[in-house]
Amino acid sequence: MRNYLFITLLFLLIFLVGCNNQDDQSEQHETQSKGDTISVTDSSKRTIDLEKSPEKIVALSNGDVDIIYALGHKVVGRPSGKTIVSEAKDALEIGSNHSLDLEKITSLEPDLVLGNHPMNMKDIQAVEDIGAEMVLTSANSVQDIQKQISLFGDLLNKQDKAKQIVHKIDNKRKEVKENTVEKKPRTLLIYGAPGTNMAALPNSLSGNILELAGGINIASDYPSLEMYPQYAQLNTERIIESNPEIILLMTHGNPEKVKESLIKEMSQTAGWDELDAVKNNRLVILPSNLFGTNPGTKVIESIDYLYDVLKNTRE
């Protein structure tokens, strides 16, 4: 990888926040009811006490927005830009996990702000100073998303609905596992932007989905990057040696430009044209709303999509 990798990596920070977590182990959420008080423990191991179920919620990631609406509630503030939940389009745009707009959030007088761990640890005090509580979660695996759903269900007194959604995800995981054949395609999963490409590791959400969908991650033992522990620097020699049967590309930029940039970079390596994935034209761009960020309850669609892609590779 070129020397400018770590400079360009900063560009990806805003996109990877939904998936990154310096602790690759999932935290267990705990919820207790004390009379009318709701007490929860979030991914930062902080205990948050709410006098009642929150009514005015601000969510800093689209995945959190999706879960809140799936549980039958709504948000008053959402991430800036296009939303994956049409019902939330009129909610005030308040920045993102990477850079929240505290003035706009203050104007909403929220009861609760939902953020990412560890990205929004630095924002807790500022949010509490405006009279709101902040709950932090992570989404580095499908199980993490299920824990988010359960936690939000407890916060909103929507436990039954949350259990239904979690059960539906469990059923999808079981279904895919039962239908996955023994031959699993060797897969290279890349997160890219023009000029910068990283391999997604198994401890990332997309890497976890890849394994659930029946693929073998050829980068599973690559050393992780310090800034992004769910990703690794591409190792062209090891890629050639592993000979992936399919290459999957995630991006939030112009997908064709990112694909062109990747091919231009990798084609300079001897043996690239001889890879099974290249010879069979199996370089697939994954939908940005389902991969590379937390898709919320739509993770079921992510699993289905990748299962079908890998199935076509196996056939």
Side-chain angles (χ1 to χ4, degrees):
M1 185 63 65
R2 292 173 173 77
N3 292 333
Y4 55 74
L5 171 64
F6 289 100
I7 296 177
T8 316
L9 278 175
L10 295 177
F11 173 76
L12 291 176
L13 181 59
I14 190 172
F15 303 126
L16 299 182
V17 62
C19 298
N20 285 357
N21 187 342
Q22 293 172 343
D23 181 359
D24 61 3
Q25 295 182 346
S26 302
E27 299 292 348
Q28 182 176 1
H29 302 305
E30 298 179 359
T31 306
Q32 295 180 343
S33 294
K34 301 175 181 179
D36 294 332
T37 301
I38 299 173
S39 181
V40 300
T41 301
D42 69 2
S43 292
S44 68
K45 297 183 179 179
R46 296 163 48 249
T47 298
I48 300 96
D49 295 320
L50 300 174
E51 294 183 359
K52 62 178 182 178
S53 182
E55 297 179 1
K56 301 174 72 174
I57 299 174
V58 168
L60 300 178
S61 80
N62 281 316
D64 291 352
V65 172
D66 174 83
I67 294 172
I68 293 299
Y69 277 82
L71 291 172
H73 203 73
K74 64 180 182 179
V75 300
V76 294
R78 66 171 179 83
S80 299
K82 186 177 180 181
T83 178
I84 62 174
V85 181
S86 59
E87 296 90 337
K89 61 182 176 60
D90 293 330
L92 184 66
E93 298 182 26
I94 43 73
S96 67
N97 292 107
H98 175 67
S99 180
L100 56 85
D101 189 324
L102 189 61
E103 184 176 350
K104 286 185 177 180
I105 293 176
T106 302
S107 71
L108 294 170
E109 299 182 347
D111 306 311
L112 178 67
V113 177
L114 301 174
N116 170 267
H117 178 261
M119 177 58 62
N120 295 118
M121 286 291 292
K122 67 184 187 306
D123 301 307
I124 294 174
Q125 188 60 57
V127 169
E128 291 180 345
D129 287 345
I130 68 172
E133 296 291 349
M134 193 168 202
V135 170
L136 304 180
T137 57
S138 59
N140 293 322
S141 67
V142 174
Q143 187 177 41
D144 278 351
I145 294 177
Q146 290 177 290
K147 289 179 179 179
Q148 282 185 303
I149 295 168
S150 296
L151 178 62
F152 294 173
D154 290 331
L155 287 168
L156 299 174
N157 287 323
K158 297 286 186 178
Q159 290 90 345
D160 289 343
K161 182 63 176 177
K163 288 178 182 178
Q164 291 175 13
I165 299 172
V166 169
H167 184 62
K168 188 175 181 181
I169 296 174
D170 278 334
N171 285 342
K172 175 55 61 179
R173 294 171 63 178
K174 181 179 179 181
E175 173 192 337
V176 168
K177 183 177 181 180
E178 291 176 347
N179 287 282
T180 298
V181 297
E182 291 185 6
K183 184 182 182 303
K184 299 181 178 181
R186 301 181 305 277
T187 308
L188 175 61
L189 180 58
I190 298 175
Y191 196 105
T196 299
N197 299 290
M198 301 179 294
L201 300 176
N203 61 331
S204 67
L205 175 58
S206 54
N208 179 236
I209 294 173
L210 171 62
E211 293 187 340
L212 290 175
I216 296 176
N217 190 337
I218 68 166
S220 60
D221 59 349
Y222 285 18
S224 63
L225 294 168
E226 182 177 356
M227 293 177 61
Y228 303 101
Q230 282 74 43
Y231 297 84
Q233 181 176 334
L234 291 183
N235 185 314
T236 52
E237 292 183 1
R238 294 181 69 176
I239 291 172
I240 300 301
E241 182 181 347
S242 299
N243 187 21
E245 297 169 83
I246 183 170
I247 299 172
L248 305 174
L249 181 60
M250 303 176 290
T251 179
H252 286 268
N254 184 310
E256 290 303 326
K257 285 187 177 180
V258 174
K259 181 178 179 179
E260 179 182 344
S261 174
L262 172 66
I263 293 175
K264 181 179 180 180
E265 176 182 341
M266 300 300 290
S267 61
Q268 298 175 19
T269 302
W272 169 258
D273 292 337
E274 297 303 314
L275 294 180
D276 287 346
V278 176
K279 289 191 296 184
N280 294 310
N281 194 29
R282 287 176 174 158
L283 203 167
V284 180
I285 298 173
L286 299 175
S288 60
N289 63 316
L290 297 179
F291 296 91
T293 187
N294 177 5
T297 63
K298 294 180 177 60
V299 70
I300 291 175
E301 297 177 29
S302 303
I303 297 172
D304 267 335
Y305 188 95
L306 198 49
Y307 174 81
D308 288 340
V309 168
L310 296 177
K311 180 181 179 181
N312 291 334
T313 304
R314 291 189 290 265
E315 293 177 346

